[in-house]
Amino acid sequence: MRIIGTGSARPSKVVTNSMLENFLDTSDEWIVTRTGIHERRVISSENLEDLAATAARNAMENAGITSEDVDFIICSNVVNEYVTPGLGCVIQGMIGATCPTMDINCACTGFIYALDVAEAYLATKKDMRNILIVCAEEPARMMNWHDRSSCILFGDAAGAVVVTKGDDLKAIRVSTHCKVEALYQKRKLQPTPFITKEEVDTEGVVMNGQDVFKLAVSSSIKDIDKVLTMAGMTADEIDLYVLHQANVRIIESIRHFVNQDKSKFPFNLDRYGNTSSASIPALLDDLNRGNQLKTGEMLLLSAFGAGFTTGACILRWSM
Ligand code: ACO
């Protein structure tokens, strides 16, 4: 597998920490110190599918292909306004593709899971040329905006890549360790005349921040160690660690474990917050368009999220 194009799109509405002070008992100082986030983008008038289609078009343009060249679309998404069909189907129509589409919901780890699926498809399906991966997320719509410990963390975004056959993926590992109580949301479904059970609507995400913090650091460290071993590489041989953008303190804890320089850990969560599975592909796009990725560099990607799902991979950059 090889990445040949990247794209991203973000909502126009910038929500700063001081704007949150207007309706939450919080402060810019608390949020910056505990998370590293200064502002985030939140959907106001946009539809998530518009952001997804823009990110997809940017990635195709960057790859020098058109929608006719796309043979499969993998869409990573947790929630959007459509319960059905899958968001991938909506995106397919908007970009004028005709290939099959598949949605996955692996929370913030979705991009790594999508890369794993893409690698398997490219390896086993002879006619498969290009796969479009679109990660489109609106976690801000899942939050209880009266809960200061969770709503301050998230922002909305879409990130996309085009992958084709190649030899750039050196190692990949995905895992799930069932820990629903650490981070979940339940909603009531439509009533029927036959329902007799009590159903719960949590009215937003329920998160144990400290448990998630510990799970994130411990699982990412384990994944990084495993993929380095799988690839026969050392931490020093990785040029950039592109980590899920959840909290600057999580990134720092992981950085201390691998004992690498700060400059190897690019981040943009100060401006965008945690955008779930869109965070890594959108950061890759920022780096790509900012000419911060050099051909031949080795990237280690690591993500973690609700489930608890985790995943990491080592990827040679060859664009
Ligand atoms: N502003 C001011 N005070 C706050 C806020 C806020 N926004 N949020 C919580 N507090 C208060 C708490 O009420 C608590 O007050 P108390 O001591 O009087 O009880 C105090 O701050 C400390 O709270 P903690 O929860 O101990 O703060 P902590 O240092 O753990 O930081 C945080 C909380 C930022 C949520 C941290 O635990 C974290 O980042 N966890 C990981 C969360 C995460 O990344 N989730 C998503 C990852 S997975 C995915 O991406 C889906």
Side-chain angles (χ1 to χ4, degrees), residues 206-231:
V206 179
M207 181 182 75
N208 183 327
Q210 292 187 359
D211 279 358
V212 171
F213 195 108
K214 287 181 214 148
L215 280 166
V217 175
S218 59
S219 62
S220 179
I221 284 172
K222 211 178 284 168
D223 284 344
I224 289 174
D225 202 37
K226 283 267 193 274
V227 289
L228 284 171
T229 306
M230 285 163 79

Side-chain angles (χ1 to χ4, degrees), residues 26 30 34 108 148-149 183 207 209-210 212 244 247 274:
T26 190
W30 192 97
R34 303 281 177 129
C108 307
R148 64 179 182 172
S149 63
L183 175 53
M207 181 182 75
Q210 292 187 359
V212 171
H244 172 45
N247 182 322
N274 179 345

